[in-house]
Amino acid sequence: MSTLTFQGAVKEVTGSRYLIEVDGNGRSHRLLLECGLHQGGSDADAANARSFGKLPRELEAVVLSHGHLDHSGLLPKLVREGYRGPIHCTRGTRDLLEIMLQDAAFIMAKDVEWENKWRRRNGKPLVEPLYDLSDVEQTLTLCETHPYGQPARLPGGVTLVFRDAGHILGSAIVELTIPSGGQEKRLVFSGDLGNPGSVLMKDPEKLFDADLVLMESTYGDRDHRPLDETLEEFAQVLEDAHADGGNVLIPAFAVGRTQEILYHLSVLYHEGRLRQQMVFLDSPMAIKVTELYYRARKSLDAEDLKVLNLAASGDTRRYLPILRMTRTVEESMAINRIHGGAIIIAGAGMCNGGRIIHHFRYNLEKPDTRLVIVGFQAAGTVGRQIVDGAERIHVMGRDLAVKAKVHTIGGFSAHAGQTQLLGWAGAFRNRPRFYLVHGEPGAQQALQTALAESDIEAEIPAYGDRIEL
């Protein structure tokens, strides 16, 4: 009998990992679905540092739903510890991995360099990064890409099909047909399901047949505000910031959210509703991803692109003329001389590092600053502390008072809300087994209750739980 073991993203949002052991062709085959980074706090650091043990040399294939680091960020560590098999993903995911994993390795190297300076001074043993750029390069050589809807054969007689999840570029719902106990069982993993209300991405595909469904539950306890209301709130925040003379800080999720925010800023600009004179995209990774989205625009929603006249013209200067992309540290530092009238989109999205915390240093203690939170903030992150009402935060070795006005605008989420999750789950016929993953306990319990009201039974697994397919 084939089995699945939950090794991550259970009762938490990050660290996605599921081990599938296939009883096929007379012997056991081990496949890994996802290999994600844990994010948020010291517990996450300890989980990321834990060795994979024998797993890298026993695995025959890895399957990846999309390129966000909580789904892919430990792949180079898996390779560093000996994995040499294929990594199956879409082309969009492969292109994003090149940007995101290189950036992650670069940041790790810098963090370890600073950590080891302190350790040398204090006579402590030195530490190594989880992986380096050479591990990333080797990881990329192992990627095998597949279009949506095209079956691929995996070891043990498993068939893989990717479906469009509508979340970010290349994101996929994973459909696996797996031999088990003399039968074939269909496992569907939602990956991260997109929000049909968001721009640029197509709507998530609905599937109808499965024996077992792993479904994300990040926003299982609530719906997002309608997009038109969200945009009006966003426009009003920008108008108020202009009236007060302060800057607007937007922590940037480099993939998906940044591109959506730029889209809406462009629309406001061309409607004559954007009063700010400067928009800075201050994230080298977000800049690279934005350029990738432009190159891959044929895979994006054609109707949304028509709004920007990008599909035909190709003239990006018309997109948002006041946009400045700051690639270098010197260009980023120069922004700190601007005391008002600017919108600064900077990494990282959960405020745990990156250039946004430097802008905090110069702006967060000013009452005329607006801090606009446009994405999910995981437990343990600086962004979550601010959203939860912290009056002071500790970054870059110093305490900062949070005097800026904080606005949490959830309607921009690239995740499905509760109603969309219920609709996606309700499309399946013949009552498959549901397991809720990628959610904090409260959100999962709320979604479990809502599913039960629709006569859909769902379980909430714990770390290490092992189920038969």
Side-chain angles (χ1 to χ4, degrees):
M1 189 70 70
S2 298
T3 63
L4 180 143
T5 305
F6 296 91
Q7 296 188 339
V10 285
K11 301 183 181 180
E12 63 170 328
V13 174
T14 66
S16 189
R17 195 163 94 216
Y18 314 96
L19 176 64
I20 300 170
E21 296 174 273
V22 182
D23 175 22
N25 299 334
R27 69 182 185 88
S28 179
H29 302 265
R30 307 187 102 195
L31 314 177
L32 196 64
L33 176 58
E34 311 283 80
C35 193
L37 196 71
H38 295 266
Q39 296 170 311
S42 58
D43 289 346
D45 292 340
N48 292 330
R50 199 173 298 128
S51 170
F52 285 106
K54 298 178 181 179
L55 185 63
R57 300 191 183 279
E58 295 175 346
L59 285 175
E60 296 182 57
V62 175
V63 178
L64 203 60
S65 69
H66 67 286
H68 273 147
L69 291 181
D70 59 323
H71 292 255
S72 70
L74 285 185
L75 280 172
K77 183 173 185 286
L78 190 74
V79 170
R80 187 184 185 102
E81 294 186 18
Y83 180 67
R84 295 296 180 268
I87 299 168
H88 298 276
C89 59
T90 66
R91 181 69 204 188
T93 294
R94 159 60 181 79
D95 291 342
L96 282 174
L97 286 179
E98 183 168 0
I99 297 170
M100 300 185 73
L101 294 179
Q102 287 178 351
D103 184 78
F106 177 79
I107 290 172
M108 278 182 207
K110 289 293 184 185
D111 288 347
V112 167
E113 181 182 343
W114 281 102
E115 172 77 6
N116 282 337
K117 283 182 179 178
W118 177 86
R119 286 176 172 269
R120 285 191 188 95
R121 287 197 302 268
N122 292 277
K124 304 288 186 182
L126 302 185
V127 295
E128 289 187 358
L130 297 177
Y131 50 82
D132 59 27
L133 285 171
S134 66
D135 300 314
V136 171
E137 292 306 313
Q138 188 153 24
T139 300
L140 296 173
T141 66
L142 300 178
C143 290
E144 294 186 10
T145 63
H146 310 282
Y148 294 127
Q150 180 174 301
R153 296 292 287 177
L154 304 188
V158 175
T159 301
L160 161 69
V161 181
F162 288 125
R163 310 287 184 184
D164 194 345
H167 176 57
I168 62 170
L169 183 67
S171 62
I173 299 162
V174 178
E175 184 179 351
L176 295 169
T177 304
I178 302 170
S180 183
Q183 302 178 2
E184 286 194 331
K185 298 294 182 181
R186 186 168 296 179
L187 165 66
V188 172
F189 171 49
S190 68
D192 284 352
L193 292 173
N195 178 0
S198 62
V199 296
L200 298 177
M201 304 310 301
K202 299 172 183 176
D203 289 354
E205 288 189 50
K206 286 188 175 179
L207 280 68
F208 304 100
D209 296 303
D211 296 290
L212 187 150
V213 180
L214 307 183
M215 186 169 76
E216 70 120 321
S217 51
T218 308
Y219 288 98
D221 56 346
R222 59 196 185 276
D223 282 332
H224 306 303
R225 291 183 68 188
L227 184 59
D228 56 350
E229 294 180 17
T230 299
L231 292 177
E232 284 306 311
E233 180 185 2
F234 185 46
Q236 189 61 54
V237 169
L238 299 180
E239 179 68 30
D240 292 345
H242 174 76
D244 285 354
N247 290 325
V248 178
L249 303 184
I250 305 178
F253 290 83
V255 182
R257 199 63 43 82
T258 290
Q259 291 72 42
E260 184 169 11
I261 293 299
L262 290 175
Y263 175 97
H264 293 304
L265 289 174
S266 173
V267 171
L268 290 173
Y269 175 85
H270 289 289
E271 290 177 348
R273 300 178 65 194
L274 188 61
R275 305 283 295 278
Q276 280 80 5
Q277 297 302 304
M278 295 166 287
V279 175
F280 294 97
L281 180 51
D282 190 27
S283 164
M285 182 167 69
I287 291 169
K288 290 178 183 177
V289 172
T290 301
E291 292 169 341
L292 172 61
Y293 265 62
Y294 178 71
R295 293 195 301 273
R297 61 192 180 278
K298 287 184 180 179
S299 65
L300 303 179
D301 189 293
E303 294 303 312
D304 290 334
L305 293 180
K306 282 181 184 177
V307 174
L308 301 177
N309 294 317
L310 271 182
S313 74
D315 185 358
T316 54
R317 290 170 298 180
R318 290 165 46 191
Y319 178 80
L320 186 57
I322 61 174
L323 176 64
R324 302 291 180 266
M325 297 193 183
T326 52
R327 300 174 194 268
T328 68
V329 172
E330 291 75 18
E331 289 172 323
S332 177
M333 292 172 65
I335 299 172
N336 294 325
R337 295 197 290 268
I338 299 171
H339 300 293
I343 298 171
I344 305 164
I345 306 168
M350 295 187 192
C351 312
N352 258 23
R355 294 181 177 181
I356 191 67
I357 61 173
H358 292 271
H359 296 301
F360 279 0
R361 179 180 171 186
Y362 289 89
N363 293 274
L364 199 63
E365 295 187 310
K366 298 178 180 177
D368 57 7
T369 296
R370 297 299 197 280
L371 173 61
V372 182
I373 302 292
V374 294
F376 185 83
Q377 306 296 308
T381 61
V382 173
R384 181 61 166 267
Q385 293 173 32
I386 294 173
V387 168
D388 287 345
E391 295 182 357
R392 305 188 71 84
I393 60 168
H394 187 79
V395 294
M396 298 179 64
R398 65 176 65 195
D399 285 327
L400 295 177
V402 182
K403 295 183 180 178
K405 293 183 176 66
V406 180
H407 303 269
T408 302
I409 303 182
F412 289 127
S413 177
H415 283 265
Q418 187 190 74
T419 297
Q420 286 89 31
L421 290 170
L422 292 173
W424 188 82
F428 286 97
R429 300 179 285 235
N430 302 322
R431 299 174 63 86
R433 289 184 290 162
F434 277 81
Y435 292 86
L436 302 184
V437 295
H438 280 279
E440 294 181 350
Q444 292 188 320
Q445 290 159 11
L447 182 59
Q448 184 184 43
T449 300
L451 286 166
E453 291 171 356
S454 300
D455 202 28
I456 298 173
E457 292 186 14
E459 296 184 40
I460 300 174
Y463 181 86
D465 281 359
R466 189 169 183 256
I467 59 173
E468 291 184 346
L469 299 182

